Amino acid sequence: MTTEAVIPAPVQKDYHYWLRSFTAGGVAGCCAKSTIAPLDRVKILLQAQNPHYKHLGVFATLKAVPKKEGFLGLYKGNGAMMIRIFPYGAIQFMAFDHYKKFLNTKLGISGHIHRLMAGSMAGMTAVICTYPLDVIRARLAFQVTGEEHRYTGIRNAFQTIYLKEGGISGFYWGLTPTIIGMAPYAGFSFFTFGTLKTLGLAHFPELLGKPTLDNPDVLVLKTHVNLLCGGVAGAIAQTISYPLDVARRRMQLGTSLPDFDKCRSLTQTLKYVYNQYGIKRGLYRGLSLNYIRCIPSQAVAFTTYEFMKQVFHLN
């Protein structure tokens, strides 16, 4: 008689559920970032005061980059971004669902506050797991075509940073402001979207809702409403956390900047940027671009994830 290992049904169900959730989040993240890749490149150039573009504004930089570096210059560093963003989006959305259930069932925390807490925890989890790839992407995107390059590609960037910037710790420059900034950003993003979704379906189900693909008795937001709610969530979250994002980028770029020695810690970086450039041209430099990029990004991310949840029967 032969015996076969049997996976208990609940374990198998949980595994398949998390796998589908992971995939849905990854696809949502890639779709969102692909729509705004050129704006991300410009944001990095402006935030870190790149000497070739620091005298220009957002739209002038969007025009200047293709002239100096070719059209693909707008997508520099995007390969590293796609490698990073799939696991980042996957972990963030999957962790959000997990933390939300954990807070509700284990700690008895429910209502709007558990969305805020779960979103913050999910954002921080995703950042810690994928941060080295974000550093690589930032370093590659900061380089200007036609000038001497410090890094020739993703692999070379990994090797160079590891050998010349303190080993593993070199990949975590700026992690502190990133985590501190991600907590309110992800928290308010998930909180705002979830709250708007709940209120919309509760008060205007016929106007804003439609049946899900897999269950006609369950309502979800219509696509254009999803996009609007995601955009509003992104705008609010970015406004709150933007100065920390500026500090994060400068710390990530490390030795790529001539004044890197003044950006060793979060407090030191914020003080230096404020004293050197002020609020508008320093701590909030590139914010107009961030509004332009974060609204469609979050709109596409939440809308894609909601759609993928229906496709994978996650509702």
Side-chain angles (χ1 to χ4, degrees):
M1 179 181 292
T2 59
T3 59
E4 295 182 358
V6 178
I7 300 175
V11 175
Q12 193 172 31
K13 182 179 179 182
D14 283 348
Y15 170 76
H16 289 149
Y17 176 87
W18 292 121
L19 181 61
R20 295 197 303 271
S21 179
F22 186 88
T23 304
V27 171
C30 287
C31 288
K33 285 298 182 182
S34 294
T35 62
I36 60 162
L39 296 174
D40 264 340
R41 171 88 202 283
V42 171
K43 186 189 82 163
I44 290 174
L45 293 171
L46 293 181
Q47 277 187 334
Q49 310 285 340
N50 186 285
H52 297 278
Y53 302 107
K54 67 179 182 180
H55 60 288
L56 300 176
V58 172
F59 296 107
T61 305
L62 279 171
K63 292 180 180 179
V65 170
K67 290 180 181 179
K68 183 174 180 61
E69 307 179 54
F71 178 75
L72 292 180
L74 291 171
Y75 290 86
K76 183 169 288 187
N78 197 51
M81 169 58 81
M82 289 299 101
I83 294 173
R84 166 189 172 262
I85 202 60
F86 185 90
Y88 177 87
I91 292 169
Q92 185 179 43
F93 280 104
M94 184 177 70
F96 174 72
D97 288 338
H98 175 76
Y99 287 137
K100 191 169 63 170
K101 290 177 182 177
F102 174 80
L103 291 170
N104 191 12
T105 58
K106 301 297 184 180
L107 302 182
I109 301 174
S110 59
H112 299 311
I113 189 65
H114 88 302
R115 288 197 196 99
L116 182 65
M117 294 176 64
S120 298
M121 294 163 66
M124 290 188 288
T125 300
V127 162
I128 292 171
C129 291
T130 62
Y131 192 77
L133 287 169
D134 194 31
V135 172
I136 297 297
R137 199 274 301 208
R139 298 288 182 94
L140 294 176
F142 188 69
Q143 296 182 139
V144 176
T145 300
E147 303 294 326
E148 184 179 354
H149 279 198
R150 183 184 297 267
Y151 313 107
T152 59
I154 296 174
R155 182 178 178 180
N156 177 255
F158 267 109
Q159 292 176 335
T160 304
I161 293 173
Y162 181 81
L163 294 174
K164 296 184 178 181
E165 298 188 33
I168 297 297
S169 63
F171 294 104
Y172 287 90
W173 280 110
L175 179 61
T176 300
T178 301
I179 292 177
I180 295 174
M182 182 52 67
Y185 174 74
F188 279 102
S189 185
F190 279 104
F191 167 79
T192 303
F193 179 81
T195 301
L196 291 175
K197 176 183 176 182
T198 300
L199 293 175
L201 292 177
H203 296 287
F204 307 101
E206 295 182 359
L207 178 64
L208 304 181
K210 65 176 182 179
T212 63
L213 296 176
D214 56 325
N215 188 349
D217 295 327
V218 177
L219 289 180
V220 294
L221 292 176
K222 294 177 179 177
T223 302
H224 67 281
V225 181
N226 251 326
L227 289 168
L228 178 62
C229 292
V232 171
I236 292 174
Q238 282 289 348
T239 302
I240 294 171
S241 63
Y242 192 75
L244 292 168
D245 191 40
V246 172
R248 168 179 70 109
R249 283 297 179 208
R250 293 190 70 89
M251 293 179 70
Q252 277 184 336
L253 291 170
T255 56
S256 297
L257 296 175
D259 52 1
F260 76 96
D261 58 314
K262 298 181 177 64
C263 301
R264 292 288 188 175
S265 68
L266 172 59
T267 303
Q268 186 183 31
T269 303
L270 288 171
K271 286 182 178 179
Y272 173 73
V273 173
Y274 173 74
N275 292 331
Q276 193 74 13
Y277 304 106
I279 295 178
K280 183 178 179 180
R281 294 185 176 277
L283 295 177
Y284 280 92
R285 180 169 175 77
L287 180 60
S288 59
L289 172 63
N290 235 33
Y291 283 138
I292 296 171
R293 60 176 284 282
C294 78
I295 290 175
S297 175
Q298 288 299 94
V300 171
F302 279 115
T303 302
T304 304
Y305 185 66
E306 290 292 309
F307 173 74
M308 295 300 292
K309 282 171 65 178
Q310 296 178 60
V311 172
F312 289 145
H313 308 292
L314 297 173
N315 285 302

